[in-house]
Amino acid sequence: MQTDLAFSSRRSPVVCLHGCVAASQPLATGVGLDILKRGGNAADAAVAIAAALAVTEPCSTGPGGDAFCLFYNGNTGEIGGINGSGRSPRAHTLDLLEGRGYTSEAPPSPADALNVTVPGAPACWCDTVQRFGSHKLSLQEVLGGAVELAEFGFPVAEITAHHWAKWVAALRDDGKELGGDLLIDGHAPKCGQVFRNQTMAQTLKELGECGKPAFYQGRVARAIVEIINQKGGVMTLDDLSSHDSEVINPISTEYKGVRLWEPPPNSQGFTALLLLNILENFPLKDHVTIPLKSLVEKSYSHQRAQRICMDRAMEGVEPGLSTGSDTVYFCVIDSQGNACSFVNSTYMGFGSGLVPTGCGFSLQNRGAHFCLHRNHVNCVAGGKRPYHTIIAALLTDSATTSQKPRLLAALGMMGALMQPQGHVQVLLNMLEFGMNPQQALDAPRVCVQYDHKTDQWSVHLEEGIGQEVAEELRRRGHKVCWPITGHMRSQFGRGQIITVGDWWSPSVNQADHPSRVLWAGSDPRADGCAQGY
């Protein structure tokens, strides 16, 4: 099998009228579409996809991780959301870590059991169906497609097989071994090999039948605590049973007639809004407790824009934190005009690699994103949510407060700190350059990264961006990595987009005739596809 992952084919946008799904695994996309056809709405379908991806792409997601959800109500125009991120165990304090000899310069290894935070995804799934779902299908019915995939098996997709093997090897390099439920005879499954996960099927069945208590209070909770404590962690049954999702009010900013909606902190959604506000100060077609309120104000972004010199790289820019990059993003729009934008993650590949006995999933290592600087806002503490990279987005017109905002798109992208960069890049591809959703995802991307080892910023350019661009950026003082090819393209994220109408087309006046046609694209950097009916 070739491993260069050349993008040698093209893909048309999916166009349909009634309902549309876009996800990183075709089998999961099919599960979501089936829910829509059976009378479920966008929220029901999103949870069905989340569970199906937990089965088919466990190296990126699962019930052992966290999730965020944004929902647009087609009847009222209201935009709501759920923060499904879990907290650290109450006993997980800086004093505990320092007492075990850890420091900011020498923290626990990423896969250490101390880095397991309470999984928030199962509660988020249940609460999404309860709060935003159609109530025409039970949770058991919503999860049924994923249960079937786990019980009867599925052929592993190509890109997933690559990352599955990569993360198994990374755990072994760290002296850890992934739980056997996620291996075949001790090895990662190959592309096309049929993988079954009977213990995951049982976990999903119990969640469907009994809801949140089945995960946070029953045998699954006991298995989670047992394996974490065996490996030196400090999670308790009380940490799990006290978990609950947080209903959130999404935050937004306006950009040239549209409004982008993102989840508020502890997610990094505000970063995408800040980027848009800054970019509004530049002619893009010519150039290829947190103070949240002030950060998203236009005046602040104007001040930041003044610091940017188009001729030279900036110096003395303070870096952020290092992050993991394995997550799934997916979105759904249904026939009633509802939209659900959803992201689910175990953080770094399989997270901790710990698989609770009889459960069929790995536990996230989101606590590895805490820092050990005592006065830092993201310093580790008991019962605390870490700074979170995963974000989901919605796009509406910039209606006044007295008007119902009109849905334009559900969109998003996985990929650590690439996520806000990716949100902005695909949005600008449509809004500024007239690309359809598939073209916006196909286009080569840019990723700005910080290397903690060398204390340097670098600009990574994907294959497809011209050499003259790389050379010009170097001339301006940037450290440039070009071209990024093959499976290394994963650093640019994997996204999905569904739009309502072709508002991105420069030849269409949507104000005159808003279209109900759904247009969708799915990222070529993943195994997935969009489907509609």
Side-chain angles (χ1 to χ4, degrees), residues 184-200:
I184 298 178
D185 297 328
H187 301 283
K190 295 185 170 84
C191 174
Q193 190 170 6
V194 175
F195 182 78
R196 297 174 180 84
N197 191 338
Q198 300 292 343
T199 51
M200 170 71 95

Side-chain angles (χ1 to χ4, degrees), residues 308-315 473-478:
I308 296 174
C309 175
M310 297 301 290
D311 296 325
R312 295 297 303 169
M314 294 174 65
E315 297 179 357
L473 287 171
R474 290 188 181 113
R475 185 190 69 79
R476 299 185 188 192
H478 295 280

Side-chain angles (χ1 to χ4, degrees), residues 284-429:
L284 295 183
K285 290 184 180 180
D286 296 331
H287 302 283
V288 176
T289 288
I290 298 172
L292 191 61
K293 185 174 183 298
S294 61
L295 278 175
V296 297
E297 284 179 349
K298 300 288 187 179
S299 58
Y300 174 79
S301 297
H302 182 71
Q303 294 169 15
R304 300 298 295 179
Q306 299 306 304
R307 297 189 60 207
I308 296 174
C309 175
M310 297 301 290
D311 296 325
R312 295 297 303 169
M314 294 174 65
E315 297 179 357
V317 181
E318 289 296 319
L321 298 165
S322 59
T323 62
S325 60
D326 279 79
T327 300
V328 291
Y329 170 80
F330 47 95
C331 52
V332 186
I333 297 180
D334 63 31
S335 59
Q336 288 79 46
N338 303 306
C340 195
S341 186
F342 209 106
V343 62
N344 210 126
S345 176
T346 43
Y347 195 41
M348 297 179 181
F350 289 101
S352 67
L354 299 178
V355 178
T357 302
C359 296
F361 61 85
S362 62
L363 293 167
Q364 67 182 352
N365 62 333
R366 185 61 64 171
H369 203 190
F370 282 122
C371 77
L372 274 64
H373 292 285
R374 188 168 293 274
N375 295 320
H376 195 284
V377 68
N378 193 45
C379 181
V380 64
K384 180 177 179 178
R385 285 176 169 143
Y387 173 76
H388 235 287
T389 55
I390 63 174
I391 50 178
L394 291 169
L395 190 72
T396 66
D397 64 3
S398 52
T400 64
T401 54
S402 61
Q403 293 176 307
K404 166 186 168 181
R406 179 167 63 90
L407 178 68
L408 297 179
L411 73 156
M413 183 180 298
M414 55 71 69
L417 295 179
M418 178 64 199
Q419 290 178 69
Q421 299 179 61
H423 282 203
V424 169
Q425 287 179 49
V426 298
L427 174 58
L428 296 181
N429 283 345

